[in-house]
Amino acid sequence: MEGFDSLELTAPIIQAPMAGVQGAALAAAVSNCGALGSLPCAMLSGEALEAELSRLAELTSRPVNLNFFCHRDGEESPERYAQWLQLLAPFFEEYGVNPEAIPVGAQRQPFSEAVAEVVEGFRPRVVSFHFGLPEKALLDRVKSWGALVLSSATTVDEARWLEQHGADLVIAQGLEAGGHRGHFLRDDLEGQMPTRELVSRCVQQLSVPLIAAGGIASPEDAIEMRRAGAAAVQIGSAYLLADEASTSPIHRQALATERRCETALTNLYTGRPARGIVTRLMRELGPMNDKAPVFPLAANAVGALRSQAEQQGDDSFTPLWCGERAKPRNASAAQISETFLRAWVASD
């Protein structure tokens, strides 16, 4: 596949970056067996990012994809934020949370000159973005390292935009995908569709290679996407129970039950739609609620509730990110990757 050939992968299988449930260990383990591991970087401070990249360099000499967000920090009116806190007030009372003690500010940072300064010393072979692409000067800087640039599209229009603005490969993120939706041309979910349909439509209109993402739970799913025209697949939920993942015990417990089959898109945890296992919070407030602050400002208040509840083994406020039809396995990252790698090679 154009672009990926230089990476010398056994097969174009990409482990999806999954913030909160992984670090360098999972990314390196996947890359070491011939697939492409990914490291989520959007929630790391500059110091933490440098430390994680140094650890990654110790664990593997193989290519790894570094993933960043390109969102614009949202601003919320005090009145609207007060309405959000009022909506959560019954939960605050139940769990003993003082809303006045909740920190203010974003926990997720967009790609910036300061971030690029840290990353440049490591000269990654692959860099991916969520929520569009960085401004041209920053994108040119990334490309000057010789990095392949990937970014997520949730619609055909977004896929075309990414190709026109410099993406070397486009990730077609279908509605089945776990975690945050990558849309950036509009705020709603209009025009988004299942993965296979999105891949099929994009293949007809793009000249850059497509990576299918969303609902790829088995090797058979991966081969189906290849037949639909995808040049590669990105797999996330299959790795959630991997030995090298840092998935919390409370998240692992939910994934080990049939609860994983009940997922929904919700904006309650961060202010932006993301797919996860249905929780009490989602049931009682509705998975999508127009009182949720803009991304990523919803996270702090719910995070305070999460901290209190998890001490009691309660996942009512935990974002249990998971894709549709997920079949995570308790196995090493290499064992999980090998099943997809073998199937892809056999389908040649």
Side-chain angles (χ1 to χ4, degrees):
M1 176 179 50
E2 182 183 352
F4 265 26
D5 291 345
S6 64
L7 303 181
E8 299 180 345
L9 304 177
T10 301
I13 305 297
I14 306 168
Q15 166 249 317
M18 300 180 291
V21 297
Q22 69 149 119
L26 177 62
V30 172
S31 288
N32 282 337
C33 69
L36 181 65
S38 298
L39 180 70
C41 302
M43 295 184 69
L44 301 176
S45 67
E47 189 175 292
L49 175 59
E50 185 165 12
E52 199 70 0
L53 293 180
S54 295
R55 182 168 182 239
L56 191 62
E58 294 173 354
L59 293 172
T60 184
S61 59
R62 301 281 302 162
V64 175
N65 164 40
L66 304 186
N67 178 256
F68 300 92
F69 285 179
C70 290
H71 64 284
R72 294 182 179 178
D73 283 331
E75 293 184 7
E76 193 60 271
S77 70
E79 295 78 14
R80 182 177 164 85
Y81 195 74
Q83 291 178 355
W84 174 238
L85 295 182
Q86 185 60 38
L87 184 66
L88 298 176
F91 300 126
F92 293 150
E93 183 176 356
E94 180 181 350
Y95 287 85
V97 172
N98 177 9
E100 295 183 1
I102 294 172
V104 177
Q107 298 176 336
R108 295 162 175 82
Q109 302 301 322
F111 192 71
S112 64
E113 287 286 355
V115 173
E117 192 68 30
V118 174
V119 176
E120 187 164 13
F122 296 86
R123 304 187 75 82
R125 306 265 301 274
V126 186
V127 176
S128 66
F129 297 101
H130 216 46
F131 315 135
L133 289 168
E135 60 185 48
K136 187 177 185 304
L138 275 173
L139 184 62
D140 288 346
R141 184 173 181 178
V142 171
K143 290 201 165 193
S144 75
W145 308 333
L148 284 175
V149 172
L150 287 53
S151 188
S152 301
T154 64
T155 66
V156 177
D157 287 345
E158 287 179 346
R160 285 198 299 255
W161 188 97
L162 291 174
E163 179 179 37
Q164 293 164 4
H165 288 80
D168 297 309
L169 300 95
V170 171
I171 303 165
Q173 188 195 33
L175 279 169
E176 302 96 324
H180 283 94
R181 306 298 301 148
H183 55 275
F184 58 92
L185 289 184
R186 54 190 301 160
D187 292 332
D188 57 35
L189 301 173
E190 184 69 28
Q192 299 190 25
M193 61 195 77
T195 308
R196 195 184 195 288
E197 182 179 356
L198 181 59
V199 168
S200 297
R201 291 193 184 191
C202 287
V203 162
Q204 300 172 19
Q205 302 197 38
L206 269 66
S207 58
V208 298
L210 274 177
I211 301 165
I216 304 172
S218 67
E220 292 74 24
D221 295 330
I223 302 311
E224 180 185 353
M225 293 303 166
R226 186 179 192 181
R227 290 170 181 156
V233 291
Q234 180 170 278
I235 301 159
S237 297
Y239 289 101
L240 284 171
L241 295 179
D243 298 341
E244 298 86 349
S246 57
T247 310
S248 69
I250 206 165
H251 196 165
R252 286 177 180 269
Q253 183 177 357
L255 289 164
T257 71
E258 287 305 306
R259 283 184 64 195
R260 70 178 182 273
C261 299
E262 185 185 3
T263 69
L265 291 174
T266 179
N267 66 343
L268 298 176
Y269 288 104
T270 65
R272 191 178 182 101
R275 184 173 295 283
I277 296 171
V278 174
T279 61
R280 176 189 172 192
L281 181 69
M282 294 160 68
R283 286 195 181 92
E284 294 193 12
L285 298 187
M288 298 292 292
N289 193 300
D290 59 10
K291 287 193 170 89
V294 296
F295 180 86
L297 301 180
N300 290 346
V302 177
L305 287 165
R306 171 187 179 178
S307 179
Q308 288 294 104
E310 286 188 350
Q311 292 178 34
Q312 305 170 33
D314 180 354
D315 66 14
S316 294
F317 308 97
T318 303
L320 304 170
W321 301 142
C322 181
E324 287 189 352
R325 301 192 302 276
K327 299 174 184 176
R329 292 170 52 199
N330 287 292
S332 70
Q335 289 172 318
I336 295 166
S337 301
E338 282 295 336
T339 60
F340 289 93
L341 292 168
R342 285 197 302 268
W344 192 279
V345 171
S347 68
D348 282 338

